[in-house]
Amino acid sequence: MTQMVNFKKLDARAVTPKYGSSAAAGADLYAILDEPLTLAAGQTVLVHTGLAMEIPAGFVGLVCARSGLATKRGLAPANKVGVIDADYRGEIMVALHNHGTEAQTIDHGERVAQLMLVPYLTADYTEVDELSDTVRGEGGFGSTGTK
């Protein structure tokens, strides 16, 4: 399924999001930098993409880690998954965090995250006195086992 998304380049150097393969779920987002950016271990910085978008109504843009960047260099979004609401029109930025123990440098034009468009439902929340029973019940963290 393909969804049309309008975008605007806020910086002439901005790169149109690109899918790495025909079956990729996320489109790569690219850093727009005036010079290389070094993140110390444990540091978080906002990385510009130079793009603003019109996420279609009924969809959310999810800014997710690129698996290679996260596993090989410890760099991933600080908030784990960024949420871009359909009514946001500002620049998409990635709150990139260095989860590793060594400084890491990002270069201009480097892929720093991936954007997924996901349909969502909103809910009408209704307060009740009792909830329906399930086999799991109130079992919380780890209550369904580990194997």
Side-chain angles (χ1 to χ4, degrees):
M1 174 176 159
T2 301
Q3 177 67 45
M4 181 68 71
V5 176
N6 294 329
F7 72 93
K8 179 180 179 180
K9 287 188 177 184
L10 304 174
D11 185 307
R13 303 171 297 164
V15 179
T16 302
K18 293 184 179 76
Y19 292 95
S21 71
S22 62
D28 291 325
L29 295 174
Y30 298 79
I32 298 299
L33 302 169
D34 293 326
E35 58 189 29
L37 174 64
T38 299
L39 286 82
Q43 183 180 12
T44 300
V45 297
L46 284 176
V47 179
H48 292 265
T49 67
L51 299 172
M53 295 185 184
E54 292 181 14
I55 304 293
F59 286 80
V60 62
L62 300 179
V63 178
C64 302
R66 293 193 70 252
S67 60
L69 197 62
T71 59
K72 295 176 183 172
R73 297 176 53 197
L75 298 174
N79 51 346
K80 308 306 179 210
V81 176
V83 174
I84 304 170
D85 295 314
D87 58 352
Y88 176 67
R89 293 296 184 268
E91 182 179 9
I92 295 173
M93 293 190 281
V94 178
L96 198 62
H97 182 77
N98 183 350
H99 295 273
T101 58
E102 298 177 10
Q104 295 290 328
T105 299
I106 295 294
D107 294 315
H108 170 74
E110 188 167 346
R111 298 174 295 172
V112 292
Q114 56 183 327
L115 177 65
M116 295 176 59
L117 288 181
V118 179
Y120 67 91
L121 300 173
T122 57
D124 286 325
Y125 293 95
T126 304
E127 182 177 359
V128 297
D129 292 328
E130 297 293 326
L131 299 176
S132 63
D133 289 329
T134 67
V135 173
R136 181 176 182 173
E138 295 181 17
F141 301 100
S143 66
T144 61
T146 59
K147 296 184 181 185

